[in-house]
Amino acid sequence: MEVLNDLKENYLHLAKNPHIEYEFEEDIKNYRVEIRMQIGQSNENFSFLRNVTEGLSIASRAIPLEKNSEVLLTNLEHRSAINCWYLRQISQPDLQLTIKICNIPTDATNEEIIRIISANISEQTRVIAIPHIDRYFGILFPVKKLCQIARELNITTVIDGAQSLGLTDIKFDDLGCDIYVSCLHKWFLSPMTIGTISIHSEIFSKLYRSFASSNRWNEERIENRQLGGQELGTRNVALEKSIGSLLDFHTRWHNEIQTLGNGLKPFLIDCLLSINKVKVIPVIDYLGKYGIITFYVEGINSKLIIKQLEKKYRILVGISNRKGFDMIRISLYFYNTRQDIQHFVKALEEIIWSMEHEGGL
């Protein structure tokens, strides 16, 4: 609550003192550095955005491409991670851009993922855009190795890290990717609409700029004409100022985040598998104790189950639409307990029984 209270106070303070935003900027500048350090980025090519969709859209427009270029994606991308490239394809028809989507099985090992993506690289491939952790099943991609392969072939890499910050260690410099887009409002637990974009120094000056800034064009350093911390003009500085409280929260709770949750994921999976007609999507788990578990119930619409979980039991879960039908997605984190899982499983069993015997609730 301290982060939300801080956000509220920032809004009130800004409303009473409109020009205080320039004082906020000094703190926000420091928060940029701290978040940049959180993701292991040594260079300063880093900006706050509104969300990952915005970052991926900027990246898809910024990368120079020649005619007949190919962009390689996977079937596990968020829709916006695919649509941003389709938008460029449609808006620049003379480019004759090809978008190739390769299929990654949910139970693929790291070696299999590397083999599948490598096999789909062609002489025309100029961009590989993949998730660090996919949003549907929580698969941790072997990003470092894939970026190494891409760099050797002079292929630009764009990594969707929406599910990464707070869930796994991000070491931008070590990964070797060209562009990494993430956000604070998922596993890092910030208020909504704080995204980030990180750009490798080698590609930074080659990118096309997507937005104009307020600085005088002729007086700007050339690198700032591409992508920089101020490029979006007026921003939600009250929200960005609350990052200070968020960082304080993570400092205080660091030990608990690292130590809580042991054994909960296998316990949840075992409980789900013990329920008749429940099918858990198999995933090779490289993440550890936290992450995403996805399942469905044979013969029952997942949306109806989700609605009843929220309406009757006040349990919030997500929905994943893949393989032609809806599935239920659980995000397990340090604040969850064994009792939470038992409550959820009991609720799920009651919903299934009711729908099978009474036609609903």
Side-chain angles (χ1 to χ4, degrees):
M1 285 299 294
E2 58 264 37
V3 179
L4 295 178
N5 288 334
D6 188 35
L7 177 60
K8 175 184 175 182
E9 291 302 315
N10 291 341
Y11 274 123
L12 291 173
H13 193 45
L14 190 60
K16 296 175 182 178
N17 307 277
H19 295 293
I20 203 72
E21 67 172 295
Y22 300 106
E23 295 181 21
F24 282 7
E25 285 288 0
E26 288 302 310
D27 289 331
I28 293 169
K29 182 179 179 180
N30 294 328
Y31 302 153
R32 282 197 190 99
V33 174
E34 291 191 54
I35 296 298
R36 184 161 55 81
M37 294 299 101
Q38 286 274 349
I39 63 175
Q41 180 182 352
S42 59
N43 73 56
E44 297 182 357
N45 306 328
F46 174 90
S47 294
F48 287 139
L49 305 171
R50 289 176 295 183
N51 49 56
V52 172
T53 295
E54 183 171 61
L56 293 174
S57 297
I58 289 173
S60 68
R61 289 285 183 170
I63 297 171
L65 294 173
E66 65 268 22
K67 188 175 181 177
N68 295 319
S69 292
E70 178 181 272
V71 177
L72 181 58
L73 310 170
T74 77
N75 60 312
L76 298 177
E77 313 301 322
H78 188 281
R79 287 307 310 177
S80 64
I82 297 175
N83 290 342
C84 65
W85 292 106
Y86 280 125
L87 181 59
R88 181 157 186 187
Q89 183 187 59
I90 293 169
S91 61
Q92 293 183 279
D94 292 343
L95 195 58
Q96 296 185 25
L97 181 65
T98 298
I99 298 170
K100 181 190 290 186
I101 300 178
C102 58
N103 185 63
I104 306 295
T106 59
D107 58 351
T109 63
N110 276 347
E111 291 74 20
E112 289 171 328
I113 293 174
I114 293 168
R115 177 182 57 78
I116 293 168
I117 291 178
S118 297
N120 280 276
I121 295 174
S122 71
E123 292 183 359
Q124 286 72 44
T125 304
R126 295 294 177 267
V127 177
I128 295 177
I130 56 175
H132 195 170
I133 300 171
D134 91 283
R135 74 178 296 273
Y136 302 101
F137 309 106
I139 299 169
L140 179 64
F141 274 58
V143 169
K144 181 177 179 178
K145 181 61 178 177
L146 291 168
C147 289
Q148 178 186 337
I149 293 170
R151 190 164 293 276
E152 291 172 354
L153 297 171
N154 198 30
I155 296 172
T156 301
T157 49
V158 179
I159 307 302
D160 176 355
Q163 302 292 332
S164 303
L165 184 56
L167 186 56
T168 190
D169 287 337
I170 304 173
K171 299 178 181 178
F172 177 79
D173 291 351
D174 187 54
L175 289 177
C177 59
D178 292 297
I179 300 176
Y180 193 100
V181 183
S182 190
C183 64
L184 278 63
H185 55 255
K186 294 185 185 293
W187 299 94
F188 208 67
L189 307 177
S190 82
M192 294 177 67
T193 68
I194 305 181
T196 68
I197 186 168
S198 303
I199 304 171
H200 197 286
S201 296
E202 289 183 10
I203 195 175
F204 187 77
S205 62
K206 301 174 185 177
L207 300 176
Y208 298 135
R209 187 168 184 154
S210 303
F211 296 90
S213 75
S214 59
N215 293 338
R216 295 181 185 274
W217 182 262
N218 293 332
E219 295 177 5
E220 281 191 350
R221 292 184 301 165
I222 184 64
E223 58 267 30
N224 287 343
R225 296 182 189 176
Q226 307 299 327
L227 291 159
Q230 305 295 326
E231 71 157 357
L232 295 181
T234 301
R235 308 181 327 280
N236 190 340
V237 292
L239 177 62
E240 292 179 8
K241 179 72 165 60
S242 71
I243 294 174
S245 297
L246 179 68
L247 291 168
D248 290 342
F249 170 85
H250 280 277
T251 298
R252 290 198 307 274
W253 284 87
H254 175 78
N255 291 336
E256 286 78 2
I257 293 173
Q258 297 301 314
T259 58
L260 293 175
N262 287 324
L264 287 185
K265 189 187 288 185
F267 176 62
L268 171 58
I269 293 172
D270 288 343
C271 288
L272 288 171
L273 291 174
S274 70
I275 303 174
N276 186 38
K277 295 187 177 182
V278 170
K279 303 296 179 183
V280 178
I281 304 300
V283 171
I284 305 297
D285 187 8
Y286 293 106
L287 276 174
K289 57 189 176 182
Y290 304 135
I292 296 169
I293 298 94
T294 306
F295 72 95
Y296 64 95
V297 181
E298 288 183 320
I300 300 180
N301 188 309
S302 294
K303 291 180 180 178
L304 296 179
I305 295 175
I306 291 172
K307 184 181 295 185
Q308 291 303 324
L309 283 170
E310 180 175 357
K311 180 179 178 181
K312 185 174 181 179
Y313 301 93
R314 297 183 62 79
I315 297 174
L316 298 179
V317 294
I319 189 164
S320 291
N321 187 285
R322 274 295 183 265
K323 297 187 175 182
F325 58 92
D326 294 323
M327 293 171 284
I328 298 168
R329 186 186 69 170
I330 302 172
S331 298
L332 194 65
Y333 207 23
F334 76 94
Y335 43 71
N336 293 123
T337 65
R338 197 178 184 91
Q339 290 71 31
D340 290 337
I341 292 174
Q342 291 170 333
H343 175 56
F344 168 74
V345 170
K346 183 175 183 296
L348 181 61
E349 289 176 327
E350 290 178 1
I351 291 171
I352 293 173
W353 187 93
S354 174
M355 289 186 172
E356 288 183 333
H357 294 84
E358 300 174 1
L361 293 174

